[in-house]
Amino acid sequence: MSVLRFDLHTHSTASDGSLAPGELVQRASACGIEVLALTDHDQTAGLAEAASAAAAVGIQFVPGIELSVSWAHQTVHIVGLGIDPACASLQAGIERLTAFRHWRAEEIDRRLAKKGIHGALSGARNYARGAILSRTHFAHYLVAQGHAKDLRQVFKRFLVRNKPGYVAGEWASLEEALGWIGEAGGLAVIAHPARYKISATRLRQLLGEFRELGGVGLEVVSGSHSRDDIMSMANLSRRFELAASAGSDYHGPDNPYLDLGRLPSLPEECQPVWNHPAWRATHSPG
Ligand code: AMP
Ligand code: MN
Ligand code: MN
Ligand code: MN
């Protein structure tokens, strides 16, 4: 099976990944990636370091972001590719989401304390390397404290809906997220569409609204998609005339997600996002 040389969805220590941006780029290059996007959650702080590391190792770098969005009482992730991190409205959005994350972290801490787990906020902060505080940082702390055996289990027990450490999000609206990405000159892509716990009807509604608001892509190939997921998302991308993207959602060697350089190719009928007319104009040469 041929593997893709593109990876358009990855994380660094600027959000909840465990490799620094430069280390991520080096590992991607060693794993055979030729075009890499760094897409940290609600954050662009890692892009400059990643861009210079990419120039040094000779791979093409796409500055990106993964924005947290609330849509129909669900959290949905929108990847922006080829963004200019200097964009003022994007940075104002990032500030708002970062502030919400800090409030939410305090709330998670209070709720866990009620269950007898103390010190979770300072514990999580010890795992955070940048401005973003994520559930992943709480997860690392809870595992280290022996509350679960690994990240997967700790999410299931504590950090998902209806569990003690879950706090519902008031993230960006879909319209705001697409506005920020557009103003920053980027292309918007719906991340890991098969992972949302919504009905097929709801998902089609999301794709329709996304397309109407100027969204261009759907992550058909994702580190968290099965073969069947890839096929059904490929069908949806054609039906909604969305370009197909591919990204591992890599978070580092200590995370259960797929490693770099292992993504299968896009199904043949897909229109790759890197062939989209707006693509060339929106990625920096590194
Ligand atoms: P947040 O954006 O802070 O709510 O955290 C969401 C992040 O938690 C995702 O981007 C994943 O990196 C991580 N995550 C969510 N569910 C799981 C899981 N079951 N196992 C491992 N990591 C997860
Ligand atoms: Mn993450
Ligand atoms: Mn995501
Ligand atoms: Mn991600």
Side-chain angles (χ1 to χ4, degrees):
M1 192 176 62
S2 67
V3 295
L4 259 180
R5 300 298 172 204
F6 286 80
D7 192 333
L8 303 180
H9 186 158
T10 64
H11 296 273
S12 75
T13 48
S15 65
D16 61 347
S18 52
L19 297 182
E23 293 171 335
L24 172 81
V25 168
Q26 279 162 19
R27 186 175 175 119
S29 173
C31 292
I33 298 298
E34 292 165 4
V35 181
L36 176 77
L38 175 62
T39 57
D40 276 306
H41 298 285
D42 308 323
Q43 187 55 253
T44 56
L47 296 180
E49 182 186 320
S52 52
V57 299
I59 67 177
Q60 196 165 48
F61 181 64
V62 180
I65 192 165
E66 181 176 18
L67 288 171
S68 307
V69 164
S70 295
W71 181 83
H73 309 294
Q74 278 284 330
T75 300
V76 167
H77 286 170
I78 304 294
V79 163
L81 296 174
I83 53 159
D84 174 4
C87 172
S89 61
L90 175 66
Q91 287 304 329
I94 286 173
E95 259 181 53
R96 201 182 93 199
L97 294 173
T98 304
F100 171 72
R101 283 181 172 279
H102 283 274
W103 173 84
R104 183 188 67 156
E106 287 172 15
E107 191 62 27
I108 291 174
D109 180 72
R110 278 191 285 274
R111 293 189 193 190
L112 289 173
K114 277 192 200 155
K115 295 283 165 190
I117 298 173
H118 298 278
L121 180 55
S122 60
R125 281 202 176 115
N126 281 335
Y127 285 93
R129 294 282 168 270
I132 287 293
L133 260 178
S134 159
R135 275 185 291 163
T136 307
H137 302 123
F138 281 91
H140 282 296
Y141 173 73
L142 292 171
V143 170
Q145 293 296 108
H147 295 287
K149 71 169 160 52
D150 57 23
L151 286 185
R152 221 180 275 278
Q153 195 181 74
V154 86
F155 267 90
K156 221 169 146 183
R157 284 194 191 161
F158 296 99
L159 298 170
V160 294
R161 201 181 286 241
N162 301 321
K163 298 295 170 178
Y166 180 79
V167 177
E170 269 309 315
W171 304 108
S173 70
L174 188 61
E175 191 169 4
E176 285 173 325
L178 292 193
W180 302 336
I181 291 169
E183 283 159 37
L187 299 184
V189 171
I190 300 182
H192 41 65
R195 289 282 68 80
Y196 304 122
K197 295 190 168 52
I198 55 179
S199 66
T201 310
R202 269 290 206 221
L203 182 59
R204 288 194 297 268
Q205 196 186 339
L206 171 64
L207 268 50
E209 279 183 35
F210 173 77
R211 171 87 219 240
E212 246 169 46
L213 290 167
V216 307
L218 189 68
E219 216 170 66
V220 168
V221 165
S222 161
S224 68
H225 283 177
S226 66
R227 267 330 287 183
D228 282 355
D229 291 336
I230 291 174
M231 287 310 165
S232 53
M233 294 308 131
N235 282 336
L236 279 178
S237 75
R238 276 197 308 180
R239 181 160 156 196
F240 285 86
E241 297 178 310
L242 291 167
S245 190
S248 60
D249 209 359
Y250 183 72
H251 280 70
D254 54 346
N255 207 289
Y257 291 87
L258 195 75
D259 199 4
L260 296 162
R262 298 273 174 89
L263 289 176
S265 300
L266 290 172
E268 234 156 60
E269 68 273 20
C270 286
Q271 295 292 329
V273 70
W274 49 88
N275 290 343
H276 189 279
W279 173 265
R280 251 171 217 300
T282 60
H283 74 259
S284 83

